[in-house]
Amino acid sequence: MTMTRRVGLVICPDFDFMGLAVTSPFMVANRYAGEAAYDVHVLSERGGPIRAGLGVEVTSEPLADSPPFDTLLVAAGITIPQTSPDFAARLRTAAGAARRVAGLCLGAFTLADAGLLDGRRATTHWHFAPQFRARYPACHLDIDKIYVVDGPFWTSAGMSAAIDLAVAMIERDHGRDLAHKVARGLVMERRRAGGQAQHSAFLEFDARTDRIQAVLAYARRNLRLPLTTEALAAVACLSPRQFTRLFRAETGTSPAKAVETLRLEAARLMLEQSRLPIEEVAQEAGFANRERMRRSFLRAHGEVPRRIRNGAGPLAVP
């Protein structure tokens, strides 16, 4: 029988309903484990009904009256939360008794208000990075990651990234096999390691028409192919000249530059989440060889692939 770990999700007033989704990976883990691996509770400062930003109320248990938790998660809303001194004190006490503590998206502000992130690495939603840095200079903000782990403290960049964070916690607790089953059960496109950047190249292109979106999807699925302008134009059923003009109008860049960006993103993901040889990463991402990939990384990011791999940390290793 596996030890049951108590998980407490602390919700702040006007919380974002998406915050409740972080409980799903733990519930799915219970199903695939065939036993109660996790016992999940919804908490708030004083307990009782807590109103979400959309107006719906959720019943919660009081944080102060709860027994110690193995894992404590803090979720806020879509604006910077207001943390009272009393709530900060209660959170410090509860965090001191927990094995690990996580601030989900703007929940990182609540942890920082309680002084729990001083001297720690953390992340939060990119839009609020300037406010976070100004308010908590003692915290080392890493805004280029979807989640960050520093000792017992975990923080996520956004609420969707909190799902990746929860699956990573399950992997830490029970191994890769259960985490993989949970990700499949949640129909996640792929599990994202904490080192992945907050911004997606695919979203940044923001193509308006299905025709260009289909070309980008084709390119991302077939990075090992040459992906010339002529080949991509054929996918779009346009002449190369028409395709290039339409592609630039919709994405603001050339087809060749877009393909390079997709290759860089895919290569970075492989560098951070696998231990494939760098030469093999270059081939899988379509760079042909490691020197071409190295030049692309220097041009785009000012750093070489080896440095990215070395900085990925242990969570990047599957």
Side-chain angles (χ1 to χ4, degrees):
M1 177 68 179
T2 302
M3 175 186 67
T4 300
R5 292 177 166 86
R6 283 170 49 84
V7 176
L9 172 61
V10 184
I11 51 177
C12 301
D14 296 322
F15 70 96
D16 181 1
F17 238 76
M18 182 68 176
L20 295 176
V22 77
T23 64
S24 295
F26 299 108
M27 295 294 93
V28 174
N30 285 349
R31 182 186 184 285
Y32 284 110
E35 56 187 351
Y38 297 98
D39 176 26
V40 181
H41 297 255
V42 177
L43 312 167
S44 65
E45 180 180 359
R46 293 185 173 84
I50 296 295
R51 192 177 181 87
L54 288 175
V56 180
E57 290 187 340
V58 172
T59 301
S60 65
E61 304 170 28
L63 175 62
D65 297 342
S66 297
F69 286 92
D70 171 85
T71 300
L72 203 63
L73 314 168
V74 180
I78 60 174
T79 58
I80 296 174
Q82 302 299 314
T83 309
S84 68
D86 186 48
F87 184 29
R90 293 185 185 190
L91 193 57
R92 282 193 296 272
T93 299
R99 178 170 64 98
R100 62 188 172 199
V101 182
L104 312 179
C105 193
L106 299 187
F109 279 81
T110 304
L111 295 189
D113 282 336
L116 296 172
L117 298 182
D118 288 353
R120 300 277 184 180
R121 290 174 57 250
T123 193
T124 191
H125 194 286
W126 60 267
H127 183 75
F128 295 91
Q131 296 96 314
F132 193 96
R133 288 193 174 100
R135 290 174 62 159
Y136 316 112
C139 177
H140 308 294
L141 188 66
D142 189 348
I143 209 62
D144 192 41
K145 304 293 187 291
I146 64 167
Y147 64 83
V148 168
V149 183
D150 188 339
F153 293 97
W154 300 52
T155 47
S156 77
M159 292 315 307
S160 63
I163 304 298
D164 298 283
L165 177 149
V167 174
M169 286 182 168
I170 292 167
E171 181 171 357
R172 281 279 185 96
D173 296 340
H174 299 285
R176 187 181 184 188
D177 183 59
L178 181 59
H180 182 67
K181 289 178 180 177
V182 169
R184 290 188 64 187
L186 293 171
V187 198
M188 296 170 66
E189 180 184 4
R190 66 172 184 268
R191 290 175 51 210
R192 299 181 296 175
Q196 186 169 339
Q198 291 194 28
H199 296 281
S200 163
F202 201 79
L203 288 177
E204 289 295 321
F205 292 134
D206 196 26
R208 297 187 299 275
T209 64
D210 291 343
R211 190 189 296 260
I212 300 303
Q213 287 178 9
V215 169
L216 288 167
Y218 173 84
R220 189 166 63 170
R221 291 194 307 268
N222 296 279
L223 292 174
R224 287 182 64 112
L225 299 180
L227 297 179
T228 62
T229 297
E230 289 74 17
L232 296 178
V235 174
C237 299
L238 294 170
S239 71
R241 179 176 294 181
Q242 289 174 315
F243 168 68
T244 299
R245 184 166 58 246
L246 179 63
F247 192 94
R248 187 177 289 277
E250 292 203 17
T251 66
T253 190
S254 68
K257 187 64 177 177
V259 167
E260 182 185 36
T261 300
L262 290 172
R263 283 177 168 149
L264 284 166
E265 184 177 68
R268 183 167 193 138
L269 194 63
M270 284 185 277
L271 289 167
E272 292 172 338
Q273 295 193 30
S274 78
R275 282 299 177 261
L276 288 174
I278 291 181
E279 183 70 33
E280 191 171 338
V281 170
Q283 292 173 358
E284 288 293 325
F287 284 105
N289 58 63
R290 62 186 298 165
E291 181 54 32
R292 287 188 182 179
M293 183 172 73
R294 179 180 178 276
R295 290 198 298 266
S296 288
F297 268 95
L298 278 173
R299 183 166 57 249
H301 302 300
E303 56 184 351
V304 297
R306 177 64 65 184
R307 182 175 179 183
I308 292 170
R309 165 154 288 173
N310 291 342
L315 275 179
V317 184

Short mmCIF file of all heavy atoms in Angstrom, two decimals, residues 6 63 66-72 90-101 116 152-153:
data_model
loop_
_atom_site.label_atom_id
_atom_site.label_comp_id
_atom_site.label_asym_id
_atom_site.label_seq_id
_atom_site.Cartn_x
_atom_site.Cartn_y
_atom_site.Cartn_z
N ARG A 6 -1.17 13.92 1.62
CA ARG A 6 -2.20 14.95 1.71
C ARG A 6 -1.78 16.17 0.89
O ARG A 6 -0.68 16.69 1.04
CB ARG A 6 -2.41 15.36 3.17
CG ARG A 6 -3.21 14.36 3.97
CD ARG A 6 -3.20 14.66 5.45
NE ARG A 6 -3.51 16.05 5.76
CZ ARG A 6 -4.76 16.55 5.86
NH1 ARG A 6 -5.79 15.76 5.65
NH2 ARG A 6 -4.96 17.81 6.17
N LEU A 63 -7.44 26.92 6.58
CA LEU A 63 -6.03 26.54 6.52
C LEU A 63 -5.46 26.28 7.91
O LEU A 63 -4.75 25.30 8.14
CB LEU A 63 -5.22 27.64 5.82
CG LEU A 63 -3.71 27.48 5.76
CD1 LEU A 63 -3.34 26.21 4.98
CD2 LEU A 63 -3.06 28.70 5.11
N SER A 66 -6.26 22.80 9.71
CA SER A 66 -5.97 21.55 9.01
C SER A 66 -4.69 20.91 9.53
O SER A 66 -3.74 21.60 9.89
CB SER A 66 -5.83 21.82 7.50
OG SER A 66 -7.05 22.31 6.97
N PRO A 67 -4.67 19.56 9.56
CA PRO A 67 -3.42 18.86 9.90
C PRO A 67 -2.36 19.17 8.85
O PRO A 67 -2.67 19.68 7.77
CB PRO A 67 -3.83 17.39 9.87
CG PRO A 67 -5.32 17.38 9.99
CD PRO A 67 -5.78 18.64 9.31
N PRO A 68 -1.10 18.86 9.11
CA PRO A 68 -0.03 19.15 8.15
C PRO A 68 -0.27 18.48 6.80
O PRO A 68 -0.83 17.39 6.72
CB PRO A 68 1.22 18.60 8.83
CG PRO A 68 0.88 18.60 10.28
CD PRO A 68 -0.58 18.29 10.36
N PHE A 69 0.17 19.15 5.75
CA PHE A 69 0.05 18.63 4.39
C PHE A 69 1.42 18.24 3.86
O PHE A 69 2.42 18.89 4.15
CB PHE A 69 -0.58 19.68 3.47
CG PHE A 69 -2.05 19.86 3.69
CD1 PHE A 69 -2.51 20.82 4.58
CD2 PHE A 69 -2.97 19.06 3.03
CE1 PHE A 69 -3.87 20.98 4.80
CE2 PHE A 69 -4.32 19.22 3.23
CZ PHE A 69 -4.78 20.18 4.12
N ASP A 70 1.43 17.19 3.05
CA ASP A 70 2.64 16.83 2.33
C ASP A 70 2.96 17.90 1.29
O ASP A 70 4.10 18.35 1.16
CB ASP A 70 2.46 15.48 1.64
CG ASP A 70 3.60 15.15 0.70
OD1 ASP A 70 4.61 14.61 1.18
OD2 ASP A 70 3.48 15.43 -0.51
N THR A 71 1.92 18.31 0.56
CA THR A 71 2.08 19.27 -0.54
C THR A 71 1.06 20.38 -0.37
O THR A 71 -0.14 20.12 -0.21
CB THR A 71 1.88 18.58 -1.90
OG1 THR A 71 2.83 17.54 -2.05
CG2 THR A 71 2.03 19.59 -3.04
N LEU A 72 1.52 21.61 -0.43
CA LEU A 72 0.65 22.77 -0.29
C LEU A 72 0.74 23.59 -1.58
O LEU A 72 1.83 24.00 -1.99
CB LEU A 72 1.08 23.62 0.91
CG LEU A 72 0.05 24.54 1.55
CD1 LEU A 72 -1.12 23.73 2.12
CD2 LEU A 72 0.70 25.37 2.65
N ARG A 90 -0.23 32.55 8.64
CA ARG A 90 -0.81 31.20 8.60
C ARG A 90 -0.15 30.37 7.50
O ARG A 90 0.08 29.17 7.67
CB ARG A 90 -2.32 31.29 8.34
CG ARG A 90 -3.10 31.92 9.49
CD ARG A 90 -4.59 31.87 9.24
NE ARG A 90 -5.31 32.57 10.29
CZ ARG A 90 -6.63 32.54 10.44
NH1 ARG A 90 -7.37 31.83 9.60
NH2 ARG A 90 -7.22 33.20 11.41
N LEU A 91 0.14 31.02 6.39
CA LEU A 91 0.78 30.31 5.28
C LEU A 91 2.20 29.89 5.65
O LEU A 91 2.63 28.78 5.32
CB LEU A 91 0.79 31.20 4.04
CG LEU A 91 1.14 30.53 2.72
CD1 LEU A 91 0.19 29.38 2.42
CD2 LEU A 91 1.09 31.55 1.57
N ARG A 92 2.93 30.75 6.35
CA ARG A 92 4.28 30.39 6.79
C ARG A 92 4.25 29.18 7.72
O ARG A 92 5.08 28.28 7.61
CB ARG A 92 4.95 31.57 7.50
CG ARG A 92 5.48 32.64 6.57
CD ARG A 92 6.40 33.60 7.30
NE ARG A 92 5.69 34.34 8.33
CZ ARG A 92 5.06 35.49 8.13
NH1 ARG A 92 5.05 36.04 6.92
NH2 ARG A 92 4.46 36.11 9.12
N THR A 93 3.28 29.16 8.60
CA THR A 93 3.16 28.03 9.53
C THR A 93 2.85 26.74 8.78
O THR A 93 3.48 25.70 9.02
CB THR A 93 2.05 28.31 10.57
OG1 THR A 93 2.39 29.48 11.31
CG2 THR A 93 1.90 27.13 11.52
N ALA A 94 1.87 26.81 7.87
CA ALA A 94 1.49 25.62 7.11
C ALA A 94 2.62 25.16 6.20
O ALA A 94 2.88 23.95 6.07
CB ALA A 94 0.24 25.92 6.28
N ALA A 95 3.33 26.10 5.60
CA ALA A 95 4.44 25.76 4.71
C ALA A 95 5.58 25.11 5.49
O ALA A 95 6.27 24.21 4.98
CB ALA A 95 4.95 27.00 3.99
N GLY A 96 5.79 25.56 6.72
CA GLY A 96 6.85 24.98 7.53
C GLY A 96 6.63 23.52 7.87
O GLY A 96 7.58 22.79 8.14
N ALA A 97 5.37 23.10 7.84
CA ALA A 97 5.05 21.71 8.16
C ALA A 97 4.93 20.84 6.91
O ALA A 97 4.77 19.63 7.02
CB ALA A 97 3.75 21.65 8.96
N ALA A 98 4.98 21.46 5.73
CA ALA A 98 4.79 20.72 4.47
C ALA A 98 6.13 20.29 3.88
O ALA A 98 7.16 20.93 4.10
CB ALA A 98 4.04 21.58 3.46
N ARG A 99 6.09 19.21 3.11
CA ARG A 99 7.31 18.74 2.42
C ARG A 99 7.65 19.64 1.25
O ARG A 99 8.82 19.87 0.94
CB ARG A 99 7.11 17.30 1.95
CG ARG A 99 8.30 16.73 1.18
CD ARG A 99 8.12 15.23 0.96
NE ARG A 99 6.98 14.93 0.12
CZ ARG A 99 7.06 14.68 -1.19
NH1 ARG A 99 8.23 14.70 -1.81
NH2 ARG A 99 5.97 14.39 -1.88
N ARG A 100 6.63 20.13 0.56
CA ARG A 100 6.85 21.04 -0.57
C ARG A 100 5.67 21.99 -0.69
O ARG A 100 4.55 21.68 -0.28
CB ARG A 100 7.06 20.25 -1.87
CG ARG A 100 5.87 19.42 -2.29
CD ARG A 100 6.19 18.51 -3.46
NE ARG A 100 5.08 17.60 -3.70
CZ ARG A 100 5.18 16.47 -4.40
NH1 ARG A 100 6.34 16.11 -4.94
NH2 ARG A 100 4.12 15.69 -4.56
N VAL A 101 5.96 23.15 -1.27
CA VAL A 101 4.98 24.23 -1.39
C VAL A 101 5.06 24.79 -2.80
O VAL A 101 6.17 24.96 -3.34
CB VAL A 101 5.26 25.35 -0.36
CG1 VAL A 101 4.21 26.44 -0.45
CG2 VAL A 101 5.31 24.77 1.05
N LEU A 116 8.42 33.51 1.78
CA LEU A 116 8.87 32.14 1.53
C LEU A 116 9.80 32.01 0.34
O LEU A 116 10.46 30.98 0.17
CB LEU A 116 7.65 31.23 1.34
CG LEU A 116 6.74 31.09 2.56
CD1 LEU A 116 5.47 30.33 2.20
CD2 LEU A 116 7.48 30.39 3.70
N PRO A 152 12.27 22.91 -1.69
CA PRO A 152 10.88 22.49 -1.49
C PRO A 152 9.86 23.43 -2.14
O PRO A 152 8.66 23.19 -2.05
CB PRO A 152 10.72 22.51 0.03
CG PRO A 152 11.67 23.59 0.47
CD PRO A 152 12.84 23.53 -0.48
N PHE A 153 10.34 24.50 -2.79
CA PHE A 153 9.42 25.51 -3.33
C PHE A 153 9.32 25.40 -4.85
O PHE A 153 10.33 25.43 -5.56
CB PHE A 153 9.85 26.91 -2.90
CG PHE A 153 9.71 27.13 -1.43
CD1 PHE A 153 10.80 26.98 -0.58
CD2 PHE A 153 8.48 27.45 -0.88
CE1 PHE A 153 10.66 27.15 0.79
CE2 PHE A 153 8.33 27.62 0.49
CZ PHE A 153 9.42 27.47 1.33
#
